[in-house]
Amino acid sequence: MLTGTAMVVALVSPPGAAAGSQAGGAALAAPAVRAAGSVALTAPGPESAAASPTDAPPDEKARARALDLARRTLSGGGHAAVERSPDDRFGEPKIVFGAGGLQFLSFPRTHHGLPVYGGDVNFMISRDGRNLLYTTSAQRAEIDVPVTPAIDKAQASSIARAGTGSGGGVAVRSARLVVHATGATPRTAWEVTAEGMSRDGVPTRPHVFVDAANGKVLDTWDDVRRGVGHSNYNGDPVDIDTTATDSAYTLTDPLRPGIRCGPVSGTFDGADDDWGNGSGTDPETACVDTLFGVQHEWDMLSAWTGRNGIDGKGNGFPARVGFDMPNATWSGTEVNLGRNVAGTKQTTSLDVVGHEYGHAVFQTSGSGGAGGGGWTAALNESTGDILGAMLEHYVGHPDTLDEPDYLVGEEVDLLGTGPVRNMYDPSQINGHVSCYNPNPPAPDPHAGAGLLNHWFYLLAEGSDPTNGNPASPTCNRSRVDGIGIQKAGRIFVNALQLKTAGWGPGEARIATVLLAYTLFPRSCKEAGAVKAAWEALWVSSQPGEPIYECWPFEMRLESSQGTTPAGGSVQVWIETLAWLDPPAVITMSSGRLPDGISLFIFPPQITAGERALAQIWTRPDFRPGRYPIEFIGTVGSFYQIARFELTVTEPPPKLEITVDPATLTLDRDLKGTATLSTKSMSGPPATYRLTVENGAPDGLTAALDPTEITPGQGSTVTVAATRATPPGTYPLTFWAIGPAMSASATLTVKVPAPEPAPKAWRPWTRYKAGDLVTYDGHRYRCRQTHTSQPGRTPPRTPALWSLLP
């Protein structure tokens, strides 16, 4: 409600939740929430449904806890928001599970055995069943009414029939005595239900509440909801789910209970599973399009909103096609689909089917059914438009069929005048409401549907979209940024579970704001967009509306723990998420550090959504153990803390290895040896594997003997080159690799120029010391200068020649 007394609401804090803003800064564990004029409370904690990562229903224990919590509240467990008298009783609840496993329980009420219209109490309870998050009821005052009517059933039926405005085209089907409790003062009334045809030939099923004391009509609405859409063929062929019997196929969905399609009378049966001919006037084709639409709507409700089936409890409703009316309707129990004025297309497009089944979603959500005139009827119609738009976007047809949009009826041309509703600018349709005014829309709820349609478009797309969708003028000339149709639909469909009889824009605002905070508990972007979209249409903050103090950002660590030996270091990434637009600038720091640990964060300031790198160092003499380290992100007076556990272990054993000599010049045969020595500096004995990292050219090799040693032992290094190895200086790095550490040493190897190839020994030749010759298959090196003589061969003159290996 926008003025006067607000509907009864309750907002409670889960036990043990953290406090909100404090002087000098607050470490927030969750966004704080408070009702207007009350103290700040906290939003659902980590065990709540809002924190659940999936839409899977809660387990049996959680369901039992939720049911017990609701019943204790109804029995007087301290919940002041539930108006009740000593003669009130509550029946078995309707239970629906929503997004994130939220539990919605709706309890019907009786007073002295009379059903109480508007007296149902709706609960939103956390996934784990421990926290009562919200309560709604349309009843505003304790019931104190007479249960004996002054107007009898026959008189009430006559008054109701006259009040339908349908002439003689309706007949009364039932009348029951109830308590009507949606007004300021509850009244005993007759609820009269009629059925028939309206003056324009459209099926009608009016409900009329007649005051049992004075015969005045208190309230009236029609179960039949009329929708329009564009005639869209979903492609040829399309897949639909049908049922096979022993002798035929039927257009009954075997996977989605209650979903089936047929003509005005009878059924469609086929010898094969091939349906329709694709024409715009074929009734069987109309059923193909209808089943295609509702089957995708069922799937969309599950995937996008967490709803189980059309009614939230795993059930759907049948549809009939071929009605000779320029319309499509929801009767309260089934969808009836007709044709356009020209008779060229049937009203079985995606948004028409989505619209009509959207009425079923509205009727089976929360409490109050489909009842209510004025703004409630307008919200019912806009619910159909919203579900139709969501269905179009979920299917995502290309523009060769009917691409997703926010127009209603532009292609079917239902009345020959183009679109019948425009969600981004409702005022484009004559008489349709774009902005809120306190007077309920009358007499056509379709005109009033523009308000909620406009709100949904602003929430999903924004006032000035950048994705190709049209701009949407706001009533207060503000800018609204959209959050996407999936998030918008998730919020709206789940908010319907808090619906009560007599719902209006004010109550819808409260419910959608609450669900935005509940479904996106660590973000104010979504709830801020919900509020901004309502305020852009002049629907201002409501009495009892939750007010949250939001985090500007969320901070978390890539890893919450790390290990380093004393003297070592670790790195950790600090990640952030932005909850404000524009993103906040975060100053990064750390809490107090133990002596011996130092820390550096780069950069010290980041914009929310970015990340920073923290480097943690320890001194070599730091005592091993586990040490908590706090990273602090600060924006103004708000801060968040991310905790890291650093494990410091004993320093690794130290090992020293050396090579002697440090520089090795290969001999004339391009060979040489060195000694690798090891010495343990600390730590227990261990076996080390020796390897060589050869950075020299091909032909230079190094061999180790042995290749495994313990500290204190040594290894002989044999280095050899080939004549193809270029002369030069080359480093060889030797590694001792153990279980806890490794060490290295480098040997510099000098490779000389290779000697010339030896020539065959010849007599009467002058040889100098060092010359090489070959003789009889052996190599010799000259030891002193001389001239060779015949008969004096190298083997016979050891003083002159050395035999080489």
Side-chain angles (χ1 to χ4, degrees), residues 60-119:
E60 291 296 333
K61 290 183 178 179
R63 299 182 194 188
R65 282 195 296 266
L67 185 59
D68 179 66
L69 176 58
R71 283 175 170 163
R72 283 189 285 110
T73 304
L74 290 175
S75 66
H79 204 291
V82 179
E83 296 282 357
R84 62 172 300 164
S85 74
D87 299 308
D88 288 357
R89 299 291 183 269
F90 293 94
E92 289 300 310
K94 177 179 68 176
I95 301 175
V96 171
F97 306 116
L102 286 174
Q103 303 193 58
F104 296 97
L105 291 80
S106 181
F107 288 82
R109 185 197 307 244
T110 61
H111 179 75
H112 279 297
L114 297 181
V116 180
Y117 172 71

Side-chain angles (χ1 to χ4, degrees), residues 9 34-36 134 509-510 513 531 540-547:
V9 296
R34 63 174 182 269
Y134 208 65
R509 171 176 168 137
I510 292 174
V513 168
K531 291 181 179 180
S540 57
S541 179
Q542 301 296 296
E545 178 179 319
I547 302 172

Side-chain angles (χ1 to χ4, degrees), residues 7 118 120 122 136-138 366-368 371 376 496 498-503 507:
M7 66 175 174
D120 309 63
N122 304 321
T136 61
S137 177
S367 60
T376 305
L496 287 175
L498 300 179
K499 174 181 67 68
T500 62
W503 231 38
E507 290 85 357

Side-chain angles (χ1 to χ4, degrees), residues 14 43-52 100 102 126-128 131 133 518 521:
E47 294 299 319
S48 73
S52 172
L102 286 174
S126 62
R127 179 191 184 89
D128 60 12
N131 299 324
L133 305 179
T518 304

Side-chain angles (χ1 to χ4, degrees), residues 531-564:
K531 291 181 179 180
W534 281 118
E535 287 160 7
L537 306 181
W538 296 338
V539 181
S540 57
S541 179
Q542 301 296 296
E545 178 179 319
I547 302 172
Y548 281 68
E549 296 170 358
C550 300
W551 288 359
F553 67 97
E554 182 181 356
M555 184 173 73
R556 61 194 179 197
L557 303 179
E558 186 178 55
S559 175
S560 61
Q561 57 188 6
T563 301
T564 181

Side-chain angles (χ1 to χ4, degrees), residues 312-699:
K313 300 174 68 176
N315 300 302
F317 302 91
R320 294 190 178 276
V321 301
F323 283 85
D324 188 20
M325 61 178 180
N327 224 316
T329 67
W330 162 249
S331 71
T333 57
E334 68 178 18
V335 168
N336 297 323
L337 299 157
R339 53 169 176 77
N340 63 4
V341 168
T344 58
K345 298 179 182 179
Q346 300 189 75
T347 54
T348 55
S349 60
L350 282 178
D351 61 351
V352 172
V353 173
H355 177 103
E356 298 309 330
Y357 278 100
H359 286 311
V361 171
F362 185 91
Q363 178 176 307
T364 57
S365 295
S367 60
W375 276 118
T376 305
L379 297 183
N380 193 345
E381 288 301 330
S382 56
T383 296
D385 289 346
I386 289 169
L387 267 294
M390 289 173 62
L391 177 58
E392 283 189 350
H393 284 76
Y394 178 77
V395 172
H397 278 321
D399 56 11
T400 54
L401 295 172
D402 180 25
E403 60 186 334
D405 57 37
Y406 292 90
L407 294 174
V408 183
E410 79 282 5
E411 290 199 7
V412 70
D413 198 15
L414 184 74
L415 304 176
T417 56
V420 294
R421 279 193 292 286
N422 180 320
M423 297 179 71
Y424 59 84
D425 189 2
S427 65
Q428 293 294 316
I429 309 298
N430 185 38
H432 284 207
V433 175
S434 281
C435 306
Y436 174 75
N437 68 75
N439 299 317
D444 182 10
H446 297 85
L451 180 73
L452 190 63
N453 286 351
H454 197 183
W455 168 83
F456 185 82
Y457 184 86
L458 291 173
L459 179 62
E461 305 295 342
S463 56
D464 190 17
T466 59
N467 59 2
N469 278 319
S472 180
T474 59
C475 306
N476 63 356
R477 299 184 179 180
S478 64
R479 174 185 172 85
V480 178
D481 293 322
I483 61 174
I485 192 170
Q486 290 192 39
K487 283 186 176 181
R490 189 173 180 86
I491 290 169
F492 175 70
V493 171
N494 281 276
L496 287 175
Q497 292 300 140
L498 300 179
K499 174 181 67 68
T500 62
W503 231 38
E507 290 85 357
R509 171 176 168 137
I510 292 174
T512 51
V513 168
L514 177 69
L515 263 296
Y517 283 123
T518 304
L519 296 176
F520 305 95
R522 295 174 181 264
S523 170
C524 287
K525 177 180 179 181
E526 290 79 8
V530 170
K531 291 181 179 180
W534 281 118
E535 287 160 7
L537 306 181
W538 296 338
V539 181
S540 57
S541 179
Q542 301 296 296
E545 178 179 319
I547 302 172
Y548 281 68
E549 296 170 358
C550 300
W551 288 359
F553 67 97
E554 182 181 356
M555 184 173 73
R556 61 194 179 197
L557 303 179
E558 186 178 55
S559 175
S560 61
Q561 57 188 6
T563 301
T564 181
S569 66
V570 296
Q571 292 182 339
V572 58
W573 283 101
I574 306 171
E575 299 176 334
T576 63
L577 296 174
W579 296 139
L580 296 179
D581 192 9
V585 176
I586 308 168
T587 299
M588 309 301 302
S589 62
S590 66
R592 184 175 180 179
L593 298 171
D595 185 31
I597 294 181
S598 58
L599 184 150
F600 177 74
I601 301 175
F602 180 81
Q605 282 193 331
I606 60 173
T607 300
E610 298 176 347
R611 64 179 187 166
L613 180 64
Q615 183 85 34
I616 306 171
W617 289 274
T618 59
R619 281 204 316 251
D621 60 348
F622 192 71
R623 186 174 64 183
R626 294 182 178 180
Y627 298 89
I629 294 177
E630 292 184 339
F631 296 100
I632 304 171
T634 305
V635 174
S637 62
F638 293 92
Y639 63 87
Q640 281 200 42
I641 297 175
R643 290 176 173 84
F644 181 82
E645 183 180 81
L646 176 67
T647 299
V648 180
T649 61
E650 291 282 355
K654 295 181 180 178
L655 179 73
E656 180 180 298
I657 63 173
T658 57
V659 180
D660 185 32
T663 301
L664 175 64
T665 301
L666 300 185
D667 59 21
R668 292 177 177 272
D669 294 325
L670 302 180
K671 294 181 180 178
T673 60
T675 301
L676 186 148
S677 302
T678 62
K679 181 170 63 174
S680 178
M681 306 296 291
S682 66
T687 299
Y688 290 84
R689 180 170 54 88
L690 301 178
T691 63
V692 60
E693 181 182 318
N694 189 349
D698 292 341

